[in-house]
Amino acid sequence: MKIGVLSDTHIPTPHQALPAKVFELFQDVDLIFHAGDIVELSVLEELRALAPVEAVAGNMDGWDAQQKLPQKKVLQLGKYRVGLIHGKYKIDIQRDMILQEFENVDLIVYGHSHQPFWGTHGNVLFLNPGSPTDKVHAPYNSVAILTLDDDIQAEIIQI
């Protein structure tokens, strides 16, 4: 399974729309994860034109998103349990705090820091795709492609 992963789009600020490169990279994905701070829910509709979308609310999302989207969720995708959350913690302790939010997951996809990350923390894989629109705390804009097959692989892609 091939999954497009993004977070912290913050549409319409600092950009009015998602970069075209996101649509190009996600053209052949089976599923899309959005790890919060969507701001305008219309972003999810645009992404749904490409593939089904799983999303959670972030700290910058308004009342409408907070009412429609959960703060976190766990998805069973084949043999893998994947946690999806935005995160709200200070960047230096973020992964420690997020780890406490989930039990028995193979991977946690998160956002909030805008800092791309792919690696293990506390024996769990963590993926933060960064932000395709806002470089706060990050050297570049990015998204990720996650592949769930015999193992879990991810690629962070600078855009």
Side-chain angles (χ1 to χ4, degrees):
M1 173 177 273
K2 185 175 177 182
I3 303 168
V5 184
L6 73 168
S7 185
D8 298 284
T9 49
H10 294 276
I11 302 295
T13 304
H15 295 278
Q16 292 297 312
L18 289 173
K21 187 73 171 174
V22 172
F23 295 95
E24 179 184 323
L25 291 168
F26 290 4
Q27 186 173 4
D28 63 345
V29 299
D30 302 304
L31 183 63
I32 296 171
F33 288 161
H34 195 303
D37 278 3
I38 302 154
V39 182
E40 288 290 331
L41 287 175
S42 61
V43 169
L44 298 181
E45 292 307 315
E46 290 179 47
L47 293 170
R48 283 186 183 109
L50 299 172
V53 175
E54 294 287 347
V56 292
N59 61 296
M60 298 297 290
D61 289 320
W63 183 86
D64 56 339
Q66 298 286 341
Q67 295 299 309
K68 292 180 181 173
L69 299 171
Q71 296 295 307
K72 66 180 181 180
K73 61 172 62 175
V74 175
L75 302 151
Q76 185 72 46
L77 300 172
K79 64 181 181 179
Y80 301 109
R81 284 177 47 87
V82 179
L84 181 60
I85 192 169
H86 180 64
K88 58 186 176 203
Y89 309 104
K90 290 172 51 176
I91 292 170
D92 59 339
I93 62 167
Q94 185 177 30
R95 285 188 290 275
D96 288 327
M97 299 304 289
I98 288 172
L99 191 57
Q100 295 176 30
E101 297 276 347
F102 296 98
E103 292 182 14
N104 302 318
V105 294
D106 301 295
L107 166 69
I108 297 173
V109 175
Y110 69 106
H112 188 59
S113 70
H114 299 213
Q115 295 176 347
F117 178 82
W118 169 239
T120 303
H121 185 84
N123 297 321
V124 175
L125 286 168
F126 274 74
L127 175 60
N128 184 328
S131 170
T133 57
D134 192 352
K135 293 190 289 188
V136 169
H137 308 296
Y140 51 82
N141 294 120
S142 59
V143 296
I145 299 292
L146 175 65
T147 306
L148 305 179
D149 284 321
D150 292 335
D151 58 359
I152 300 172
Q153 298 177 19
E155 177 185 8
I156 294 171
I157 303 168
Q158 183 175 344
I159 58 171

